[in-house]
Amino acid sequence: MIEFKDDWCKGCNICIDRCPVDALEESDRLNKKGVRPPQLKKDNKCNYCRLCELICPDLAITVIPEEIKKEDKKTLLSPIGGKIK
Amino acid sequence: MVEIKTADELNKKFLREGMWPTIFCNGCGHGVVLEYTFWALEELGWDMDNVIFASGIGCSSRLPGYINADGLHTTHGRAIAFATGIKAANPDFNVIVFTGDGDCSGIGGNHFIHAARRNIDITVIMINNFIYGMTGGQLAPTAPLGSIATTAPYGNIEHPFDISNLACALGANYVARWGVSHPYQPIKSLKEGLQKKGFSLLEFLAPCPTAYGRRNKLGDIKKHWAWYDNNTILKEDYEKIMKYGTEEEKAQVKDKMQLGVFQDIQKSGFFESYEKLVNRLKEKETKTKGAKK
């Protein structure tokens, strides 16, 4: 999974250009600056080499390899207090 | 020692996120250098309270403002002089100087020369984009022959300054030059440079599409970044071709800029020698006092 901070992107498209497996493309949505941030292609061969993350001049890309994918924390406590029955 | 695994966590640790996004133009290489520095600092595992950044004036000198650590934003070209002061006041601090090519080699050239000659224990990260980007595209001393700037509209006729070679000649302990488009060698090199006692210089060739690329007809961001890849060569490859290559190959690589570690030696630094001097004089004094009594 690759996370993009849309508002940090300036639209230089270096990540798209430099991706060794050509897994990124321009998205359809516009950000605050009026540029189109990148997104992962639908069928991509991303191997989490992290080149886009390291080369992004605006630090807008975060690569999260599938193994350490964020999980929803399950808790027995309710937000108000007390245990969920 | 790497605890952090993702860039998001790295940014939370090192970045002053209120200052972000940067003022840098689209396609500028300065942000990349900042990120490489973050990774190098993370791998070293230094306490950020003991790291101080200093910078002068220019695009590159905005970088300490984005880092969640103490920093000095000083007058034009005097960053190294201020850094020397910090180091003299407390030699326990790790002092890192972010500076540009105009700041370091043009206006602060003399400070740079003497800091390298004295071998003061600081790390200078010089981001070279061949031009005074922030002040409006004036000609920098490092600009290649024939390049166009606002103060050289018909092409540069002055021979460029090779800062890495200069630092080698002055006897700096660690001298390296890298581009920004290949991450792993620069991060490793930054780590070595930061750990090194004595003066270490890391020169980065960063693209400047707005001030340099546009005036010199180097094309859009993609082409400008590719220009850096096509016009640089690893030092080892260059030496090999110059020794064993054919005439054609030699002619091809002759004008390319070399990348790599140029110097990696261990000389005693200024403050080490100064401490020795103080100790020697103290001993002498106690001896003479003892003789009088």
Side-chain angles (χ1 to χ4, degrees), chain A residues 5-59:
Chain A
K5 283 182 183 155
D6 284 2
D7 286 342
W8 288 15
C9 179
K10 287 176 188 154
C12 61
N13 289 357
I14 289 165
C15 47
I16 297 171
D17 177 35
R18 296 272 161 164
C19 180
V21 292
D22 202 15
L24 297 167
E25 62 179 1
E26 260 187 31
S27 61
D28 297 334
R29 57 187 191 277
L30 285 171
N31 71 1
K32 214 160 61 179
K33 288 196 173 69
V35 299
R36 298 184 191 282
Q39 68 179 22
L40 264 175
K41 280 180 187 169
K42 264 193 178 167
D43 33 318
N44 58 66
K45 286 178 184 165
C46 179
N47 53 7
Y48 309 106
C49 72
R50 313 181 83 167
L51 185 68
C52 51
E53 181 187 272
L54 286 165
I55 218 169
C56 178
D58 294 293
L59 284 70

Side-chain angles (χ1 to χ4, degrees), chain B residues 84-134:
Chain B
T84 309
I86 301 168
K87 197 72 192 174
N90 190 347
D92 294 336
F93 285 138
N94 299 306
V95 186
I96 302 170
V97 179
F98 275 111
T99 177
D101 53 328
D103 196 45
C104 177
S105 65
I107 289 161
N110 222 346
H111 296 295
F112 171 77
I113 290 169
H114 288 286
R117 183 180 61 85
R118 285 173 179 157
N119 211 4
I120 287 161
D121 186 10
I122 53 175
T123 306
V124 177
I125 299 171
M126 192 187 102
I127 304 168
N128 185 354
N129 52 10
F130 303 138
I131 207 148
Y132 285 81
M134 182 180 268

Side-chain angles (χ1 to χ4, degrees), chain B residues 126-278:
Chain B
M126 192 187 102
I127 304 168
N128 185 354
N129 52 10
F130 303 138
I131 207 148
Y132 285 81
M134 182 180 268
T135 49
Q138 288 86 355
L139 188 74
T142 46
L145 277 177
S147 55
I148 291 164
T150 46
T151 51
Y154 306 112
N156 176 20
I157 51 165
E158 300 162 16
H159 291 274
F161 216 152
D162 191 335
I163 290 297
S164 290
N165 261 342
L166 176 74
C168 286
L170 291 165
N173 271 359
Y174 192 88
V175 182
R177 183 197 285 144
W178 297 106
V180 292
S181 51
H182 299 94
Y184 295 103
Q185 300 96 328
I187 291 175
K188 194 180 155 227
S189 193
L190 268 167
K191 241 169 78 183
E192 283 172 11
L194 289 169
Q195 279 174 312
K196 200 85 184 170
K197 290 271 170 211
F199 193 85
S200 45
L201 172 81
L202 290 128
E203 183 183 350
F204 281 93
L205 300 176
C208 178
T210 306
Y212 188 76
R214 185 167 56 90
R215 288 204 176 82
N216 289 285
K217 308 268 186 299
L218 296 177
D220 58 0
I221 294 164
K222 195 175 158 184
K223 281 182 193 159
H224 189 36
W225 278 59
W227 182 83
Y228 276 85
D229 287 351
N230 298 333
N231 283 286
T232 51
I233 184 166
L234 275 179
K235 184 194 151 214
E236 288 80 10
D237 293 348
Y238 181 85
E239 280 166 2
K240 256 183 219 165
I241 289 171
M242 278 300 160
K243 259 187 185 173
Y244 309 114
T246 58
E247 290 300 318
E248 272 179 34
E249 283 174 326
K250 278 182 193 172
Q252 267 181 10
V253 300
K254 209 181 132 195
D255 295 330
K256 288 189 178 181
M257 291 171 280
Q258 294 175 54
L259 302 179
V261 180
F262 294 102
Q263 189 149 288
D264 192 356
I265 53 171
Q266 193 59 63
K267 277 196 318 188
S268 67
F270 176 78
F271 295 110
E272 244 171 88
S273 310
Y274 187 71
E275 212 179 313
K276 272 183 202 164
L277 179 79
V278 170

Side-chain angles (χ1 to χ4, degrees), chain B residues 278-291:
Chain B
V278 170
N279 287 338
R280 203 181 75 208
L281 291 180
K282 268 185 187 167
E283 271 177 30
K284 206 177 166 186
E285 205 175 311
T286 47
K287 268 182 196 172
T288 47
K289 268 185 187 172

